[in-house]
Amino acid sequence: PVPRFVSLKRDEVFGRAGPDGDYPVVTVYRQRGLPLRVIAETETWRRVEDPFGRRVWIAHFMLAGRPTGMVVNRSGLTVPLRRRPDMEAHQLVNLQPGVVVRIKESRAGWRRVEIDRYRGWLPVDSLWGP
């Protein structure tokens, strides 16, 4: 179904102006796991929107269904990763905006995420992704 979220499968992925390898590359992504929203598709290409609002076409084999999210905070401040899905829970670490995390579980208003050796909870409004 469209829309849906996917993530980048490789360390380097070309975003093109159209759904074919003959279209010019308009952006190069260099962050494996970056979450993208599929907004249209053909049999072999996906039109995606990235966390920055860019819309490009990417070959389907460069995308994975693994759920990831990007930490966001309009103020530019860090976001605390919490031990439990509770704003008063212990803070494990502060995450910088732009960090990509793997989503492991969803609860109302919260996502359990993993990054490096840390596992904890982030409020949904601090993530761009599913």
Side-chain angles (χ1 to χ4, degrees):
V2 174
R4 69 179 178 281
F5 279 90
V6 295
S7 57
L8 293 180
K9 192 184 282 188
R10 307 250 168 93
D11 291 328
E12 183 177 82
V13 176
F14 299 130
R16 296 187 177 272
D20 188 277
D22 292 335
Y23 282 93
V25 173
V26 293
T27 192
V28 179
Y29 295 104
R30 289 189 169 88
Q31 189 171 13
R32 180 189 304 238
L34 182 73
L36 302 166
R37 182 179 323 167
V38 175
I39 56 175
E41 59 189 342
T42 70
E43 186 175 324
T44 57
W45 290 83
R46 306 296 180 258
R47 182 157 169 82
V48 299
E49 181 179 24
D50 68 23
F52 313 104
R54 292 180 294 225
R55 293 180 172 196
V56 297
W57 289 90
I58 296 178
H60 77 285
F61 62 86
M62 294 294 205
L63 303 170
R66 290 185 297 269
T68 64
M70 176 181 273
V71 175
V72 295
N73 187 339
R74 294 195 201 296
S75 66
L77 301 174
T78 60
V79 176
L81 180 66
R82 302 198 178 268
R83 186 177 307 266
R84 294 183 327 277
D86 178 340
M87 291 304 270
E88 302 302 318
H90 175 74
Q91 296 180 22
L92 300 171
V93 66
N94 286 315
L95 300 176
Q96 295 287 333
V99 168
V100 173
V101 296
R102 291 175 300 284
I103 297 173
K104 300 306 225 174
E105 181 182 342
S106 296
R107 288 196 190 165
W110 292 87
R111 299 293 181 263
R112 187 170 69 86
V113 303
E114 178 179 278
I115 180 166
D116 298 328
R117 61 185 177 93
Y118 296 102
R119 287 185 181 186
W121 294 87
L122 290 172
V124 168
D125 63 0
S126 66
L127 284 175
W128 192 89

